[in-house]
Amino acid sequence: MPKIIFHLSDTSVREVEVSIPTTVMQAAIYGDVRGIEAECGGACACATCHVYVDPAFVTRIPPAQQDELEMLEGVAADRLPNSRLACQIHVTEALDGLTVSIPDRQF
Protein backbone atom coordinates (compact mmCIF):
# COMPACT_ATOMS: atom_id res chain seq x y z
CA MET A 1 0.00 0.00 0.00
CA PRO A 2 1.33 3.44 -0.88
CA LYS A 3 2.34 5.77 1.92
CA ILE A 4 1.59 9.49 1.90
CA ILE A 5 3.67 11.74 4.16
CA PHE A 6 2.00 14.89 5.46
CA HIS A 7 4.03 17.75 6.91
CA LEU A 8 1.69 19.77 9.11
CA SER A 9 1.98 23.47 9.75
CA ASP A 10 2.98 22.79 13.38
CA THR A 11 6.08 20.94 12.01
CA SER A 12 4.74 17.50 12.95
CA VAL A 13 4.74 14.71 10.35
CA ARG A 14 2.04 12.11 9.74
CA GLU A 15 2.47 9.07 7.55
CA VAL A 16 -0.66 7.41 6.21
CA GLU A 17 -0.81 4.14 4.28
CA VAL A 18 -3.69 4.01 1.85
CA SER A 19 -5.25 1.54 -0.51
CA ILE A 20 -5.87 2.31 -4.15
CA PRO A 21 -8.06 3.92 -5.45
CA THR A 22 -8.06 6.97 -3.21
CA THR A 23 -6.99 10.59 -3.29
CA VAL A 24 -4.53 12.44 -1.09
CA MET A 25 -7.49 14.27 0.45
CA GLN A 26 -9.16 10.98 1.37
CA ALA A 27 -5.87 9.72 2.79
CA ALA A 28 -5.75 12.78 5.05
CA ILE A 29 -9.32 12.22 6.22
CA TYR A 30 -8.80 8.48 6.83
CA GLY A 31 -5.55 9.24 8.64
CA ASP A 32 -7.11 12.01 10.77
CA VAL A 33 -4.56 14.52 9.47
CA ARG A 34 -5.19 18.03 10.78
CA GLY A 35 -5.31 20.91 8.32
CA ILE A 36 -7.17 19.29 5.44
CA GLU A 37 -10.73 20.61 5.80
CA ALA A 38 -12.23 19.12 2.61
CA GLU A 39 -15.49 21.00 3.01
CA CYS A 40 -16.79 19.98 -0.43
CA GLY A 41 -15.94 16.31 0.06
CA GLY A 42 -13.59 16.17 -2.89
CA ALA A 43 -15.71 17.86 -5.56
CA CYS A 44 -13.03 20.44 -6.41
CA ALA A 45 -15.37 23.19 -5.23
CA CYS A 46 -13.83 24.72 -2.11
CA ALA A 47 -10.00 24.71 -2.09
CA THR A 48 -9.87 23.67 1.59
CA CYS A 49 -7.57 20.74 0.80
CA HIS A 50 -4.75 22.91 -0.55
CA VAL A 51 -1.31 21.30 -0.21
CA TYR A 52 2.22 21.94 -1.39
CA VAL A 53 3.60 18.93 -3.27
CA ASP A 54 7.24 18.09 -2.64
CA PRO A 55 9.18 19.17 -5.76
CA ALA A 56 10.51 15.63 -6.20
CA PHE A 57 6.95 14.44 -6.90
CA VAL A 58 5.54 17.33 -8.96
CA THR A 59 6.33 15.68 -12.30
CA ARG A 60 4.83 12.35 -11.19
CA ILE A 61 1.39 13.90 -10.84
CA PRO A 62 -0.72 14.81 -13.86
CA PRO A 63 -1.00 18.58 -14.32
CA ALA A 64 -3.91 20.43 -12.77
CA GLN A 65 -7.02 20.71 -14.93
CA GLN A 66 -8.81 24.02 -15.50
CA ASP A 67 -11.31 23.58 -12.64
CA GLU A 68 -8.50 22.93 -10.16
CA LEU A 69 -6.51 25.91 -11.46
CA GLU A 70 -9.56 28.13 -10.95
CA MET A 71 -10.03 26.87 -7.37
CA LEU A 72 -6.35 27.45 -6.62
CA GLU A 73 -6.87 31.13 -7.42
CA GLY A 74 -8.86 31.42 -4.20
CA VAL A 75 -6.70 29.57 -1.68
CA ALA A 76 -6.26 31.24 1.71
CA ALA A 77 -2.53 30.55 2.09
CA ASP A 78 0.13 31.57 -0.40
CA ARG A 79 -0.23 29.90 -3.76
CA LEU A 80 3.09 28.45 -4.88
CA PRO A 81 4.15 26.73 -8.11
CA ASN A 82 3.74 23.35 -6.36
CA SER A 83 0.27 24.16 -4.95
CA ARG A 84 -2.37 21.52 -5.63
CA LEU A 85 -5.72 20.44 -4.28
CA ALA A 86 -5.36 17.13 -2.46
CA CYS A 87 -8.75 16.00 -3.79
CA GLN A 88 -7.35 16.07 -7.31
CA ILE A 89 -4.27 13.94 -6.65
CA HIS A 90 -5.13 10.29 -7.21
CA VAL A 91 -2.82 7.93 -5.35
CA THR A 92 -1.02 5.29 -7.39
CA GLU A 93 1.83 2.93 -6.57
CA ALA A 94 4.14 5.42 -8.32
CA LEU A 95 3.26 7.96 -5.63
CA ASP A 96 4.42 5.77 -2.74
CA GLY A 97 6.25 8.12 -0.39
CA LEU A 98 4.53 11.23 -1.76
CA THR A 99 5.28 14.12 0.57
CA VAL A 100 2.96 17.09 0.87
CA SER A 101 3.00 20.07 3.19
CA ILE A 102 -0.20 21.51 4.58
CA PRO A 103 -0.44 25.32 4.64
CA ASP A 104 -1.00 27.13 7.90
CA ARG A 105 -4.60 27.94 6.94
CA GLN A 106 -7.32 26.77 4.56
CA PHE A 107 -9.80 29.63 5.09
Side-chain angles (χ1 to χ4, degrees), residues 7 16 22 28 31 34 46-47 51 57 71 79 82 92 97-98 104:
H7 288 257
V16 179
T22 193
R34 294 179 319 275
C46 72
V51 295
F57 285 89
M71 292 306 313
R79 181 180 178 186
N82 60 333
T92 64
L98 171 66
D104 61 350

Side-chain angles (χ1 to χ4, degrees), residues 22-72:
T22 193
T23 64
V24 172
M25 181 209 76
Q26 290 168 323
I29 291 169
Y30 300 150
D32 197 28
V33 174
R34 294 179 319 275
I36 299 290
E37 301 301 327
E39 287 188 354
C40 72
C44 194
C46 72
T48 60
C49 65
H50 176 211
V51 295
Y52 303 117
V53 175
D54 183 290
F57 285 89
V58 168
T59 59
R60 297 189 205 179
I61 299 169
Q65 299 297 306
Q66 187 62 36
D67 56 346
E68 180 180 0
L69 293 171
E70 289 173 8
M71 292 306 313
L72 285 167

